Amino acid sequence: MSHTKVLPLLEPDTDGVVPCCPPLTERPFTAEEAETAARMFKALGDPVRLRLFSAVASHEAGEACVCDISDVGVSQPTVSHHLKKLKEAGLLTSERRGTWVYYRVEPSVLAAMGKLLTLPAAA
């Protein structure tokens, strides 16, 4: 007799995401909120980083092996440098599987960034 229990899968809760900062139109940022937002936008301000971020975000299953996204016109060490900067900014997470590293954009990151740039609802 098996004592295993099947647990239901939970869908990501993007409505419950707490963004790093309030929407730009809500109120002025605190110094800490401005630092956090600036770190994210600075990381995405480089064209190579933006291409890598887009490649990971749009890849099948929401994650990409570094071997699948390294063709962005720069050397492999430069790709690694840019991926590291994206991780440091909190935009990517990674997991080593054997000899390859897989990168993922967490849905909560995209949701938080979207909420940051959202205009208030019309009354």
Side-chain angles (χ1 to χ4, degrees):
M1 175 183 249
S2 174
H3 293 285
T4 60
K5 183 177 179 182
V6 177
L7 297 174
L9 293 176
L10 297 175
E11 293 298 317
D13 180 15
T14 56
D15 290 335
V17 170
V18 178
C20 70
C21 320
L24 290 171
T25 55
E26 184 176 302
R27 63 170 172 77
F29 283 172
T30 65
E32 184 179 325
E33 291 166 341
E35 286 290 328
T36 302
R39 211 173 18 256
M40 289 187 333
F41 287 115
K42 184 177 181 180
L44 292 175
D46 182 281
V48 173
R49 289 185 202 144
L50 188 55
R51 286 185 68 199
L52 288 168
F53 185 74
S54 174
V56 173
S58 64
H59 205 270
E60 185 178 327
E63 71 176 7
C65 173
V66 70
C67 61
D68 294 329
I69 59 170
S70 60
D71 187 20
V72 291
V74 296
S75 67
Q76 181 55 46
T78 303
V79 168
S80 295
H81 166 76
H82 287 300
L83 289 169
K84 178 182 174 187
K85 292 295 184 183
L86 290 168
K87 280 184 60 175
E88 288 172 351
L91 297 170
L92 293 179
T93 59
S94 66
E95 177 184 350
R96 179 171 291 282
R97 297 181 197 157
T99 59
W100 297 109
V101 177
Y102 287 78
Y103 290 89
R104 173 180 296 277
V105 177
E106 296 298 326
S108 61
V109 169
L110 292 176
M113 290 177 71
K115 287 184 179 184
L116 175 67
L117 298 173
T118 300
L119 290 173

